[in-house]
Each structure stands twice: as C-alpha cells, then as structure tokens.
C-alpha cells in the first residue's frame, strides 16, 4: 500500500494515504456493501428493490469515497448529507451541526448506505442513527475510540469496515486533502 506513517516531533502520529490505497479500500468495501444491501433486500421486513439502492455521502470527507463506490457498484448517489462535528457553529444536543437535513422516508433509508471517510469519535454515526434509525453506515478508516462507542450502541455499521484501523492519536491525511490549486 502507498501509505506513510510519520510522527511529528513528539506530537501525534500522522498517516498519509495514497490514491492506490483508497482504490483498494473502496474495492474491498464495495463487495461488503453490496452483500450487506443484498441481504437487507432479501431479509428486510420492508422489501427493497435494486432500483431503490443508493449511496449517501457524508460531506465533505465521504464525497470522494462515495463517488468511487457509486461507480464500482453502479449504485447512484441521490442525496448528500452535510454533517460537521469540527465547527464552532450552533450544534444540537449530540454535538453535531447538520446543514440541509434530508427529509427521507423509511423506504428511502432502507435502501441507502451512508459513506464517510473516517470514524473518529463516533459522533457522526450516532447522529445519523438518531435521525435515520434504519440507516446503514460504512467508513474507510476507523479509530478505536469511535468504533468502540459505535459498537456499544448496536448501530447498523458494517462491522468489518472500516478496512484500516488507526490509533486514536493518529491524524489521517487523505490524498484529496493534499491537492493544491
């Protein structure tokens, strides 16, 4: 994989991922997301047809992975959810600021998978679950603190995802964050 582990002068660790790593992660993720959605279509008390499947990226970090996953699976992106946890703007009780909340029905959520780049603290997933209780969530990277928090809530997170797990004190840099215009 084309990733680098760096430690900056006594500070937290730094994980730099390259495009090839992201491509491999998304391909692996695609097989698991597709399998999960297919099993949901077959076992859900609310039947879901293939045409109802769609991907909802969590902006901004989930936009590129969700687009790659959409192409890989041939499943469209129909909505984007803009959720921020690192902001000074007004937040709700969960500590999340959400712009343009999606007014989605239960049927739409049943066929959706929310995609983000990283499970850091678990706050975003908890917010999505509180807002959309039937949601499925997957991320490329996970940190133990966030994964542990999510795991104890019984949320529908694809448990074998994220593919890469990094320590809580590691800052992850994605290749799309390095683009300088």
């Amino acid at each position: 994989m084309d990733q680098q582990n760096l430690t900056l002068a006594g500070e937290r660790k730094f994980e730099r991922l390259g495009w090839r790593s992201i491509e491999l992660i998304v391909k692996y993720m695609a097989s698991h997301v597709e399998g999960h959605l297919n099993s949901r279509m077959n076992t859900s008390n609310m039947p879901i047809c293939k045409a109802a499947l769609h991907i909802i990226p969590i902006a901004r970090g989930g936009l590129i992975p969700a687009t790659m996953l959409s192409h890989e699976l041939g499943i469209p992106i129909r909505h984007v959810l803009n959720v921020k946890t690192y902001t000074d703007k007004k937040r709700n009780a969960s500590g999340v600021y959400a712009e343009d909340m999606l007014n989605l029905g239960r049927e739409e959520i049943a066929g959706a998978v929310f995609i983000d780049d990283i499970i850091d603290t678990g706050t975003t997933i908890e917010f999505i679950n509180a807002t959309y209780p039937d949601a499925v969530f997957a991320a490329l990277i996970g940190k133990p603190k966030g994964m542990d928090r999510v795991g104890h809530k019984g949320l529908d997170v694809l448990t074998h995802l994220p593919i890469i797990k990094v320590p809580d004190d590691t800052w992850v840099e994605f290749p799309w964050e390095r683009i300088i215009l």
Side-chain angles (χ1 to χ4, degrees), residues 7-13 169:
T7 302
L8 304 175
E11 300 195 12
R12 63 179 162 175
K13 296 175 198 141
D169 65 346

Side-chain angles (χ1 to χ4, degrees), residues 128-167:
I128 289 169
N129 187 66
T131 310
Y132 311 107
D134 295 323
V136 175
F137 187 93
L140 303 175
I141 309 291
K143 294 184 177 182
K145 183 178 177 183
M147 293 297 294
D148 200 40
R149 182 175 171 185
V150 169
H152 288 79
K153 300 281 185 178
L155 307 182
D156 196 357
V157 177
L158 300 180
T159 54
H160 42 280
L161 301 173
I163 287 89
I164 295 179
K165 294 172 178 70
V166 297

Side-chain angles (χ1 to χ4, degrees), residues 1-169:
M1 293 242 200
D2 57 341
Q3 59 190 66
Q4 298 174 352
N5 299 313
L6 308 168
T7 302
L8 304 175
E11 300 195 12
R12 63 179 162 175
K13 296 175 198 141
F14 187 83
E15 182 85 18
R16 175 176 281 166
L17 296 174
W19 284 108
R20 183 68 183 139
S21 295
I22 298 301
E23 288 171 13
L24 292 171
I25 293 168
V26 169
K27 283 186 181 295
Y28 181 83
M29 178 185 269
S31 66
H32 291 285
V33 167
E34 184 173 47
H36 187 77
L37 289 174
N38 285 337
S39 73
R40 217 171 191 212
M41 285 188 334
N42 297 326
T43 61
S44 176
N45 58 359
M46 183 184 316
I48 308 165
C49 66
K50 178 113 174 131
L53 298 178
H54 59 283
I55 295 169
I56 301 175
I58 307 299
R60 293 184 317 202
L63 290 170
I64 291 174
T67 300
M68 293 170 76
L69 188 65
S70 173
H71 287 288
E72 187 71 26
L73 294 175
I75 297 174
I77 293 174
R78 291 205 181 115
H79 308 282
V80 174
L81 183 61
N82 193 8
V83 175
K84 297 177 184 178
T85 57
Y86 300 104
T87 181
D88 292 332
K89 292 184 178 183
K90 189 184 264 181
R91 298 174 182 200
N92 66 18
S94 68
V96 176
Y97 173 76
E99 297 175 351
D100 305 323
M101 287 306 301
L102 302 174
N103 187 16
L104 301 175
R106 189 164 178 233
E107 297 82 18
E108 279 186 284
I109 291 299
V113 59
F114 288 81
I115 302 293
D116 207 353
D117 56 350
I118 190 165
I119 298 172
D120 195 352
T121 63
T123 303
T124 301
I125 302 174
E126 284 183 342
F127 172 76
I128 289 169
N129 187 66
T131 310
Y132 311 107
D134 295 323
V136 175
F137 187 93
L140 303 175
I141 309 291
K143 294 184 177 182
K145 183 178 177 183
M147 293 297 294
D148 200 40
R149 182 175 171 185
V150 169
H152 288 79
K153 300 281 185 178
L155 307 182
D156 196 357
V157 177
L158 300 180
T159 54
H160 42 280
L161 301 173
I163 287 89
I164 295 179
K165 294 172 178 70
V166 297
D168 288 323
D169 65 346

